[in-house]
Amino acid sequence: MFKYNYVRDLIERLVEMNDLPLQVELHPGPCCGPFRCKYCYGKGQTLTDGLLSIDDYSQLLDDLIDKTAFIEISGIRSDPLSYPDFYLLLKLIKEKGFKFGIHTKGYFTNDELIKLLNTEPTKGNFITIGVDSASTDIYNEVHGLPPNNNVYDKIEKMIISLYNEKIKRQSKLRINVAYLLLKNNSSKGQIDKFIQTFRKYATVIRFSIPQVPNMAEPINFLNSEEIDETLELLKDYEDDDITVLKFKESNHNQNFKFCWAQRFNATIDKSGNVFPCPQVALKDYFHLRYGNIKESRFWDIWNSERRKKILYMSIKDMKCNVCDRKDEAINIELNKMLRIDRFIVSSSKTDK
């Protein structure tokens, strides 16, 4: 007996009608600087060759104006701020009217960039700085730095400067400070010290369990029992300024068949290759590349037959299944709800 599902019908129509990425993610950086983090999500994987110019980015952003409002700036196996012309790139993004979010370790931040981050417009913009410690020794252990290295002191001072500039300019920039919970940094004393150090300066302090690297063994990760104990400990800290992402597992969840999340975003690596998502913007997943913005304009790539073909592949055929938790959650729920046959039929009608 046929039963009409109002929610499924609405979601299917919204997904079917969506033909623009809600955000475009840029991975401009060629390296991570001195960091050799043992928890690295992209450990064992390889960046593509080459680097986009500022002119390449300017043309891309011109193509995106009035179609995609938000630019995510991040990296896998790289820090976006390592891009040699990052200041000019961010200046372009601001001048062309995009909102943005940056994910970084903060190592390459300087006074000039701190001022630009807090120059209007700032509403809706954020920078998330992964710190993961409140002491030099643990910071160096977690990030694969030599003993007695003073990078932690530099990062702490940078965050304070970023906050002071924000207050000076009455900026609305969100300063988020992130902390991945590992075996050697999850004691109550270390968590207390971190909160005491950064609470004044951070819009939000975020704690979370790292995900297992795609192609490497996890090192220094909490086991299931330790994750439960740590999340229980953090219950006493949560408030409007402290967020705990309550992931009880660090492994990937493979309980879905199709990737729906790719319909809502595109990721462009440092060489201009366009990929379905941030996790596959690497040489290892070149079979999922839609195209390259140095060879074709963005919308020609987005509307290409190659992209349409990848849209309807199963996860098995895509040969990835390395979603981050956000995309995993989207894919798990939409796979329960949506009917792939409807979209295949709709696509074939459109092609005619």
Side-chain angles (χ1 to χ4, degrees):
M1 182 178 177
F2 175 75
K3 292 184 178 180
Y4 187 79
N5 186 317
Y6 291 98
V7 175
R8 184 177 70 178
D9 184 68
L10 173 62
I11 297 299
E12 283 185 339
R13 281 188 288 157
L14 290 173
V15 172
E16 191 175 1
M17 291 169 61
N18 177 68
D19 199 30
L20 298 173
L22 301 183
Q23 70 176 38
V24 170
E25 182 161 334
L26 306 180
H27 290 185
C31 69
C32 292
F35 300 105
R36 299 295 181 270
C37 306
K38 294 177 181 178
Y39 62 75
C40 177
Y41 188 74
K43 194 173 183 180
Q45 299 175 114
T46 310
L47 296 172
T48 57
D49 301 321
L51 211 61
L52 290 173
S53 69
I54 279 295
D55 288 341
D56 293 328
Y57 281 116
S58 183
Q59 178 176 275
L60 168 67
L61 294 170
D62 285 342
D63 285 347
L64 298 176
I65 288 174
D66 296 329
K67 294 182 179 179
T68 296
F70 191 81
I71 304 293
E72 189 93 356
I73 312 168
S74 186
I76 185 164
R77 286 197 62 80
S78 65
D79 189 298
L81 274 60
S82 68
Y83 179 59
D85 291 320
F86 186 82
Y87 178 89
L88 295 178
L89 173 57
L90 185 62
K91 192 167 183 285
L92 276 177
I93 290 169
K94 291 175 70 75
E95 288 175 348
K96 293 178 186 293
F98 295 95
K99 289 183 169 57
F100 64 84
I102 302 172
H103 298 268
T104 177
K105 288 285 187 294
Y107 178 79
F108 295 97
T109 310
N110 55 34
D111 291 341
E112 187 181 34
L113 183 57
I114 285 172
K115 289 178 181 177
L116 179 62
L117 284 164
N118 286 294
T119 301
E120 292 301 325
T122 57
K123 188 175 181 181
N125 300 335
F126 71 83
I127 181 169
T128 297
I129 303 153
V131 182
D132 314 317
S133 176
S135 64
T136 296
D137 55 343
I138 300 298
Y139 186 90
N140 290 339
E141 283 182 28
V142 168
H143 297 107
L145 297 171
N148 303 317
N149 192 295
N150 66 350
V151 171
Y152 170 79
D153 293 334
K154 175 183 176 179
I155 300 303
E156 183 180 338
K157 289 175 183 176
M158 180 275 293
I159 292 171
I160 294 171
S161 296
L162 188 61
Y163 171 80
N164 287 338
E165 190 71 21
K166 173 180 175 176
I167 297 304
K168 174 184 173 182
R169 293 174 177 263
Q170 297 183 322
S171 161
K172 293 181 175 62
L173 177 74
R174 294 176 61 82
I175 303 171
N176 305 321
V177 181
Y179 195 106
L180 290 175
L181 297 154
L182 299 154
K183 282 185 180 290
N184 60 344
N185 70 351
S186 296
S187 71
K188 186 178 187 304
Q190 290 166 319
I191 290 170
D192 281 339
K193 184 178 180 183
F194 185 79
I195 292 172
Q196 290 168 11
T197 302
F198 293 106
R199 184 160 204 167
K200 176 181 177 181
Y201 311 110
T203 310
V204 170
I205 292 175
R206 188 189 71 199
F207 292 96
S208 63
I209 306 296
Q211 280 191 207
V212 169
N214 295 331
M215 294 187 180
E217 290 297 316
I219 299 174
N220 197 30
F221 278 46
L222 300 170
N223 60 38
S224 294
E225 184 178 339
E226 290 168 333
I227 289 174
D228 289 340
E229 291 173 354
T230 303
L231 293 180
E232 186 65 29
L233 169 67
L234 286 166
K235 283 182 179 180
D236 294 334
Y237 294 86
E238 286 187 274
D239 57 27
D240 291 341
D241 304 322
I242 299 175
T243 297
V244 180
L245 302 183
K246 299 177 181 66
F247 301 114
K248 292 195 174 183
E249 298 295 336
S250 54
N251 291 312
H252 294 291
N253 186 330
Q254 301 179 354
N255 189 29
F256 55 89
K257 188 175 180 181
F258 296 100
C259 176
W260 297 97
Q262 64 177 308
R263 293 172 175 268
F264 308 108
N265 62 70
T267 300
I268 301 172
D269 74 2
K270 68 185 185 68
S271 313
N273 298 301
V274 184
F275 290 92
C277 79
Q279 285 66 47
V280 299
L282 294 152
K283 263 188 181 179
D284 310 79
Y285 305 102
F286 214 63
H287 60 282
L288 296 177
R289 184 188 78 134
Y290 296 153
N292 189 295
I293 62 166
K294 296 181 80 169
E295 300 166 358
S296 304
R297 300 298 284 262
F298 178 81
W299 295 113
D300 291 334
I301 295 170
W302 181 262
N303 295 315
S304 67
E305 290 303 314
R306 176 166 177 77
R307 176 176 172 269
K308 290 177 185 178
K309 179 180 177 181
I310 293 172
L311 279 179
Y312 299 107
M313 283 183 179
S314 69
I315 291 295
K316 181 180 178 181
D317 291 334
M318 289 180 75
K319 298 178 182 177
C320 55
N321 216 342
V322 291
C323 296
D324 67 5
R325 292 186 177 110
K326 169 180 64 66
D327 289 341
E328 278 182 354
I330 291 169
N331 282 328
I332 289 168
E333 293 305 314
L334 290 183
N335 269 265
K336 293 176 185 176
M337 185 176 296
L338 303 185
R339 299 164 294 180
I340 189 71
D341 57 311
R342 166 172 173 161
F343 290 85
I344 293 174
V345 170
S346 298
S347 175
S348 63
K349 288 179 180 178
T350 302
D351 293 341
K352 292 177 183 178

